[in-house]
Amino acid sequence: SPDLCFAHTGMFQEMVKSECHFINGTNRLRFVKRFIYNREQYVHFDSDVGRFVGDTLYGEKVARYWNRDPEWMEYRRAAVDRHCRHNYELSSPFLVER
């Protein structure tokens, strides 16, 4: 409708990005999961911190909510082994040993 303002007709984007940081093979790993809305990171999980951290006011609310759930937090903390170590072991013959 022509009477809608641009804010109601624009495109909005949500993105989740997972990163594994390998330091000295798998001896030292760091897992970071970033939650981004419209190019602004609002909350992230950092395995070095062990919990979600809010990057905006809304992200702080989301982080408090997610950090309260012990089952969800255990799942997130296990991502270092489940996601990073597993993928490292699969890909290291192709990437590291070349």
Side-chain angles (χ1 to χ4, degrees), residues 4-92:
L4 291 176
C5 70
F6 178 74
H8 294 123
T9 60
M11 183 184 300
F12 298 95
Q13 180 184 38
E14 185 168 18
M15 182 171 80
V16 178
K17 183 177 180 183
S18 298
E19 302 171 6
C20 294
H21 300 260
F22 300 97
I23 300 128
N24 194 18
T26 58
N27 291 336
R28 173 86 173 85
L29 284 174
R30 181 177 178 218
F31 175 73
V32 179
K33 187 160 190 139
R34 303 174 189 279
F35 296 81
I36 302 159
Y37 182 74
N38 276 358
R39 296 186 230 162
E40 180 179 33
Q41 179 174 307
Y42 63 95
V43 68
H44 70 278
F45 176 84
D46 186 341
S47 65
D48 283 354
V49 178
R51 62 184 178 85
F52 285 94
V53 177
D55 299 306
T56 65
L57 288 175
Y58 173 70
E60 289 175 8
K61 283 179 65 174
V62 172
R64 279 194 300 273
Y65 178 76
W66 285 345
N67 288 334
R68 283 190 306 206
D69 186 346
E71 197 173 301
W72 174 246
M73 292 307 297
E74 186 56 38
Y75 180 79
R76 272 295 145 231
R77 289 182 187 116
V80 172
D81 291 320
R82 183 182 64 251
H83 183 70
C84 297
R85 278 196 176 86
H86 173 75
N87 288 337
Y88 183 87
E89 291 168 8
L90 289 176
S91 61
S92 64

